[in-house]
Amino acid sequence: MATVLPVYPTTRRNVELALVVLAVVIAGGAWAVTGLTVDGSLPPNLFAYAGGLGGLAVVLHLLLRWRARHADPLLLPVATLLNGIGLVMIHRLDLALDSSAASRQFTWSALGIVMAGAVLVLVRDHRVLRRYTWTAAVAGLVLLLLPLVPGLGRTVNGARIWIGVGPLSFQPGELAKICLAVFFAGYLVVHRDALSLTGRKVLFLQLPRARDLGPILLAWVASIGILVLQRDLGTSLLFFGLFVAVLYVSTERVSWIVLGLLMFSAAAVFAATTMGHVQARVDIWLHPFTAENRTGSSYQLVQGLFGMANGGLTGTGLGEGRPQTVPYANSDFIYSSLGEELGLVGLFAVLVLYVVLVERGLRTAIGVRDGFGKLLAAGLAFSVTLQVFVVVGGVTRVIPLTGLTMPFLAAGGSSLVSNWIVVALLLRVSDLARRPAAEVRNGPDGETGVTQAVRIA
Amino acid sequence: MNRPLRRLSLVVAFLFFALFASTTWIQFISAGRLNAMPGNSRQLYAEFGRERGAILVQGGAAVATSEGVQDPYEFQRTYPAGPLYAPVTGYYSLRYGTAGIERAENDVLSGSADELFYRNLSSLLTGEKPQGADVTLTLQPRVQQAAWDALDGRKGAVVALDPETGDVLAMVSSPSYDPNTLASHDGAVQEQAWDRLTGDEDDPLVNRATSALYPPGSTFKIVTAAAALESGDYTADTALKGPQELDLPQTSNTLKNDEGTACGPNDQVSLADALRISCNTAFGDLGLTLGADALQEQAAKFGFGQSLSIPTSVATSRYPTGDAVAGPLLAYSAIGQGSDVATPLQVAMISAAVANDGVVMKPNLVARVSEAGGSGSVIEQPSPQELGRAVSTGTARTLQQMMELVVSSGTGTRAQIDGATVGGKTGTAQHGVGLPPYAWFTSFAERGDKKVAVAVVIEDGGSTESAYGGRLSAPVAKTVMEAALDG
């Protein structure tokens, strides 16, 4: 494992503070514009919301100064801005639909930021998480299976990925994503040599031993299980993609990717040809504009496309479009809602924010010295990528439409909270990655970050 | 592990690149195509949400307006005069699109016309909503109302033209419909109205004045007479063969006169008299003598075969060619039967050209396009356009006198107006065995400096009595001409 010397001598906390303030100013300005356009007056709760979001972000910033002063300075402002943009669009759709999703979203934002702070306080060093590798595996599986529990699980739009207690509903898959990232990182950092050094070479591919195929088969079966039992393409793709990516990073073996892609393709083809709801998704994807589909099954997709086309290059302006025409405009299709009112320019800005978020995550993975941290940061960053790709790719017809949430933007508490936790974990790992070498203490397992004992399974 | 991480970054870059590309594809490259797709309600909303200009008639009364309402479409299109102007204004329906002036002038009414671009640019900057322009029609409400009342619900059409400018002074089609029902924002009301109107055998949605093609019958004799005079071989006094029955070439058929008698003593009749009493045999024989090419050419000079937009679209009137005018059929075509078809507008254009000393003016419905909101500043004002010369001034003068004889002492006496010079021609067009004929009257009138040309067609010509056109349609034309001369 290569050692990378820290390249950032300063902590850049002041830059972070300035950017957080900027993010809040942008989101607050957008909130004000929406109110002025739709109602002709400044929204009465402008300062409560902008101040609330800004206040919470600044508290998290202060916490970083105290507990993780070397953490990457871009992650918090980017997450704050995305969260703010999402709140503005959800509020704007509230005005059109006479709903009240924004106040709920604001509550979840606050909870998410508090949870992020809690993670930063409780997890003083990410290497502690390695001890919970198998706990995370069990927790992840339990979370995934919860929606299947009779009486607890709820089926929404054909996908059984929700649990409900009273009026509250939650998508446990979102939290499972984090648990599984921890598990994959913990498991693979231990087994990487066994997985990478053994096995026969066929042509140019070094094939793994049959017994090492176990984990990938397990992950594959689990993904298929989600697809079949919960009818959720998005989560299935997310987990399997996450696993293959982390597997590749840990073993550096292209054969894993080839195998993974083959297996996923086989499953996808099987699903697309035999499972009714998957077939329907594929049909919508390929032929959205047929007269029959347009008013029926592909109505949502087509309306989203019409909305984006209506926005064009510069958008209609906040409050001037008709994003509410699209079903689930504030959750599944918030990307097209933003596209309609902010235009191509606005969506590029949003995509760039995600690129920055992911890039900082991968930079953290490259910078951090311990293998577990590398895999964890890479896994988390890649999961954000996959999630954005699946959602935006679905809305823009790159791939069939599946049900995942747009990180930080989409209305939905479980997604918001879990993504704030993802950012907290990335912040935690980046703190160690960017800490000057002299300050790096030995890890909780006696790791120095430079060498480590490897157990061969 | 850093090398695979860098490769993973490439995968991430590729995935995001795909998203940038697909987003650009939708919002930039194919945005226009998506916006124009059927069923894209956003464009309808956008158009409906814009304050559409009004359609006005002469004198300033609005026959189509947009009023602000509290629903997602923001503006309700209303037609205060209902069916009276419906064939001209057309309708503006969320579900069924547009027709008439609403369609022909949509880009100025909706404010999307290029001419309005710079005017709307300032409103873009000031944040005001762009507004459509007003369209003022050439229609004279008095004349329009007179035509509507005189037609009295019978199936048919009336067109009144100003012969010197081509301005359409009245355009009535009956039965008509109430465009308000089609413009309703209530989908069920729209659908019901649409189903009822499209299911109606009488085609109330068709503007009979410009979109229906009828055999012109004896009104076409003006064209045949014009061709004769233009040839130089005839004058109004030239004697024609006017027997009781005309033997037709290559067949045992004969062409008969309506009354079953000869048109004059010794089977001779002058050209002027032949027109006055609408002698079929004389004009049939005249047609056979002149030939199909001469008739075709003369008809074309009056506007047959020419596609027009005024700016609503007009069906093309046709004088037949080839086999349709071979042998005996040529005689039929010379009296407006056979395969001749014409719109009431075209028939009015014949009288108008005669009254205008031979010059055919392009008919036009739009007087001006002006800025909405009371300022009234004119954006566009079409000037009268010549379509061409149908006959020489001399020929036109002769035709005027011949048509005046029709009204003073011929088949069209019911169109006489005290103190005015009136010329006309009746027509009774057969369009099938046993079907009541179409009753035509085309005419012009002049008093002082006022001139008007009118065509009337009534589809249900009643019984088989003679001079249906003179009996049924001439009084309608008279009423309309009076209204125009008084106005």
Side-chain angles (χ1 to χ4, degrees):
Chain A
M1 196 185 309
T3 308
V4 175
L5 290 173
V7 286
Y8 303 106
T10 53
T11 62
R12 304 268 185 210
R13 287 271 79 77
N14 292 333
V15 172
E16 178 180 77
L17 180 60
L19 289 176
V20 163
V21 171
L22 182 66
V24 172
V25 167
I26 292 173
W31 188 282
V33 166
T34 310
L36 284 171
T37 308
V38 178
D39 293 334
S41 59
L42 281 176
N45 45 16
L46 170 64
F47 294 102
Y49 274 54
L53 183 69
L56 284 162
V58 168
V59 167
L60 194 57
H61 158 78
L62 292 175
L63 196 71
L64 286 172
R65 281 185 186 264
W66 177 42
R67 278 296 162 93
R69 64 191 192 94
H70 294 283
D72 191 293
L74 284 178
L75 292 169
L76 176 59
V78 166
T80 307
L81 183 52
L82 283 170
N83 195 339
I85 293 171
L87 271 169
V88 169
M89 183 44 74
I90 292 163
H91 166 68
R92 183 256 171 275
L93 287 162
D94 276 351
L95 292 177
L97 298 168
D98 214 13
S99 55
S100 57
S103 63
R104 265 200 316 277
Q105 183 80 348
F106 184 78
T107 312
W108 283 110
S109 307
L111 188 66
I113 295 175
V114 169
M115 290 290 280
V119 167
L120 281 166
V121 172
L122 294 175
V123 184
R124 302 280 298 269
D125 188 317
H126 65 266
R127 288 171 292 191
V128 173
L129 294 174
R130 245 188 97 171
R131 294 178 195 154
Y132 302 104
T133 298
W134 290 100
T135 314
V138 172
L141 273 178
V142 167
L143 284 169
L144 271 181
L145 294 176
L146 270 183
L148 296 176
V149 177
L152 193 60
R154 284 183 187 171
T155 305
V156 180
N157 304 318
R160 197 174 175 86
I161 51 175
W162 294 81
I163 55 167
V165 183
L168 289 172
S169 58
F170 202 80
Q171 233 177 314
E174 289 282 349
L175 278 178
K177 174 180 76 180
I178 300 171
C179 294
L180 291 181
V182 171
F183 163 65
F184 292 156
Y187 175 83
L188 290 170
V189 80
V190 172
H191 297 275
R192 54 190 295 260
D193 288 340
L195 292 168
S196 65
L197 298 178
T198 58
R200 278 184 304 140
K201 192 159 178 126
V202 176
L203 294 176
F204 56 93
L205 285 181
Q206 180 108 38
L207 287 181
R209 288 183 300 183
R211 53 193 270 210
D212 294 330
L213 267 174
I216 193 172
L217 278 174
L218 203 68
W220 185 67
V221 168
S223 298
I224 302 296
I226 293 165
L227 182 59
V228 174
L229 296 174
Q230 305 185 341
R231 314 192 133 218
D232 183 13
L233 273 82
T235 309
S236 161
L237 179 67
L238 176 66
F239 291 158
F240 195 64
L242 174 61
F243 180 76
V244 171
V246 178
L247 186 61
Y248 168 69
V249 172
S250 66
T251 61
E252 221 173 309
R253 294 278 291 276
V254 182
S255 56
W256 288 114
I257 296 183
V258 175
L259 267 178
L261 284 178
L262 283 177
M263 289 166 72
F264 190 81
S265 305
V269 169
F270 175 77
T273 48
T274 57
M275 296 173 67
H277 70 283
V278 181
Q279 271 175 323
R281 294 282 172 108
V282 172
D283 179 52
I284 291 168
W285 175 50
L286 295 175
H287 314 289
F289 295 113
T290 62
E292 192 183 334
N293 283 353
R294 203 171 58 215
T295 51
S297 54
S298 68
Y299 179 80
Q300 185 186 32
L301 178 63
V302 166
Q303 289 303 320
L305 292 173
F306 284 168
M308 289 176 70
N310 187 32
L313 274 187
T314 52
T316 59
L318 280 167
E320 304 273 15
R322 296 187 177 271
Q324 68 273 20
T325 315
V326 189
Y328 298 95
N330 68 11
S331 52
D332 294 11
F333 271 69
I334 197 158
Y335 187 75
S336 75
S337 301
L338 288 166
E340 179 165 4
E341 302 215 318
L342 301 180
L344 182 62
V345 177
L347 285 188
F348 266 39
V350 167
L351 283 178
V352 164
L353 287 177
Y354 284 112
V355 170
V356 169
L357 190 67
V358 171
E359 189 266 342
R360 300 316 292 183
L362 290 172
R363 173 66 64 104
T364 296
I366 288 173
V368 79
R369 296 167 194 82
D370 69 294
F372 174 75
K374 275 183 186 300
L375 293 181
L376 181 63
L380 292 174
F382 195 68
S383 76
V384 173
T385 308
L386 268 179
Q387 202 156 346
V388 172
F389 180 76
V390 167
V391 176
V392 177
V395 171
T396 60
R397 281 185 75 208
V398 176
I399 55 168
L401 192 60
T402 57
L404 276 185
T405 52
M406 197 72 175
F408 293 107
L409 284 179
S414 25
S415 167
L416 206 48
V417 169
S418 61
N419 280 302
W420 271 110
I421 294 174
V422 167
V423 163
L425 288 175
L426 285 176
L427 282 166
R428 172 50 71 214
V429 180
S430 72
D431 177 48
L432 197 62
R434 292 159 46 90
R435 195 177 297 174
E439 287 186 38
V440 178
R441 293 178 298 112
N442 283 355
D445 289 350
E447 292 178 24
T448 60
V450 181
T451 58
Q452 63 175 325
V454 174
R455 280 178 286 172
I456 307 271
Chain B
M1 275 193 268
N2 283 347
R3 196 170 52 173
L5 274 172
R6 287 180 207 284
R7 286 193 188 138
L8 187 68
S9 308
L10 283 181
V11 173
V12 167
F14 173 77
L15 290 177
F16 273 104
F17 175 78
L19 300 182
F20 279 106
S22 66
T23 305
T24 307
W25 179 262
I26 293 166
Q27 294 206 274
F28 183 62
I29 296 168
S30 53
R33 194 174 54 81
L34 287 168
N35 282 335
M37 269 198 180
N40 188 341
S41 61
R42 274 186 184 72
Q43 295 310 308
L44 285 175
Y45 276 118
E47 215 187 278
F48 272 69
R50 213 180 283 145
E51 185 167 2
R52 193 172 174 84
I55 303 177
L56 311 164
V57 289
Q58 293 296 311
V63 293
T65 56
S66 282
E67 285 153 23
V69 287
Q70 293 298 318
D71 72 16
Y73 301 107
E74 295 180 47
F75 291 99
Q76 169 73 57
R77 196 67 166 165
T78 39
Y79 302 89
L84 176 58
Y85 290 95
V88 179
T89 59
Y91 49 83
Y92 183 68
S93 170
L94 180 63
R95 197 173 291 187
Y96 303 105
T98 53
I101 288 289
E102 295 278 30
R103 174 181 295 175
E105 293 288 299
N106 183 50
D107 55 350
V108 290
L109 286 169
S110 69
S112 60
D114 291 344
E115 300 95 293
L116 304 178
F117 177 76
Y118 289 103
R119 288 162 201 270
N120 283 336
L121 201 61
S122 61
S123 54
L124 185 73
L125 296 177
T126 55
E128 282 173 45
K129 295 209 166 172
Q131 210 176 356
D134 286 350
V135 171
T136 303
L137 303 177
T138 55
L139 298 179
Q140 302 269 8
R142 282 164 41 85
V143 187
Q144 181 81 3
Q145 188 69 51
W148 175 262
D149 293 344
L151 205 52
D152 196 23
R154 286 173 290 184
K155 241 196 282 180
V158 178
V159 177
L161 296 174
D162 180 332
E164 289 173 350
T165 59
D167 284 355
V168 180
L169 305 178
M171 183 176 278
V172 164
S173 173
S174 170
S176 184
Y177 61 98
D178 184 0
N180 289 303
T181 52
L182 291 174
S184 168
H185 290 181
D186 183 332
V189 171
Q190 269 184 71
E191 197 176 334
Q192 259 178 18
W194 181 257
D195 290 346
R196 190 170 46 74
L197 291 170
T198 51
D200 191 329
E201 287 180 350
D202 288 341
D203 291 329
L205 287 177
V206 171
N207 179 1
R208 292 172 148 76
T210 54
S211 299
L213 289 165
Y214 299 93
S218 298
T219 61
F220 192 78
K221 287 171 184 162
I222 303 171
V223 178
T224 308
L229 293 168
E230 285 286 275
S231 72
D233 303 333
Y234 297 82
T235 66
D237 300 326
T238 307
L240 304 176
K241 274 196 284 179
Q244 185 184 341
E245 288 187 19
L246 179 68
D247 286 328
L248 294 176
Q250 302 160 28
T251 162
S252 57
N253 275 353
T254 57
L255 181 65
K256 294 186 185 71
N257 285 322
D258 278 348
E259 283 146 34
T261 57
C263 296
N266 306 322
D267 290 355
Q268 297 276 307
V269 63
S270 71
L271 178 59
D273 267 351
L275 191 75
R276 187 175 63 80
I277 61 172
S278 201
C279 177
N280 283 346
T281 53
F283 275 96
D285 187 55
L286 183 57
L288 292 171
T289 313
L290 293 168
D293 289 348
L295 290 179
Q296 163 72 43
E297 208 176 299
Q298 187 59 63
K301 284 181 179 172
F302 276 107
F304 280 78
Q306 193 163 0
S307 66
L308 281 176
S309 77
I310 65 167
T312 53
S313 61
V314 177
T316 305
S317 304
R318 285 185 312 269
Y319 180 79
T321 52
D323 288 346
V325 282
L329 296 174
L330 177 55
Y332 285 109
S333 74
I335 61 163
Q337 296 285 172
S339 302
D340 300 11
V341 285
T343 59
L345 177 70
Q346 174 62 61
V347 173
M349 284 163 70
I350 296 172
S351 290
V354 171
N356 195 35
D357 291 345
V359 176
V360 185
M361 299 304 293
K362 181 181 183 293
N364 177 37
L365 268 169
V366 173
R368 69 181 166 278
V369 175
S370 51
E371 219 166 70
S375 77
S377 95
V378 173
I379 295 164
E380 222 183 311
Q381 188 155 28
S383 46
Q385 262 184 288
E386 281 184 24
L387 273 186
R389 179 169 273 282
V391 289
S392 69
T393 313
T395 301
R397 295 265 156 84
T398 309
L399 285 170
Q400 285 168 19
Q401 288 160 10
M402 286 165 59
M403 287 173 72
E404 283 161 22
L405 282 177
V406 172
V407 174
S408 60
S409 59
T411 52
T413 50
R414 286 181 172 86
Q416 289 169 3
I417 300 171
D418 288 342
T421 310
V422 182
K425 181 71 197 82
T426 54
T428 305
Q430 308 294 335
H431 58 104
V433 178
L435 293 174
Y438 296 133
W440 278 104
F441 195 73
T442 183
S443 59
F444 60 84
E446 189 173 358
R447 186 166 67 197
D449 58 347
K450 297 220 164 175
K451 268 189 193 177
V452 62
V454 171
V456 176
V457 64
I458 296 174
E459 289 188 23
D460 185 358
S463 65
T464 51
E465 284 175 62
S466 63
Y468 320 98
R471 194 168 52 80
L472 282 177
S473 296
V476 174
K478 174 193 162 150
T479 311
V480 175
M481 288 189 292
E482 275 180 327
L485 295 179
D486 289 346

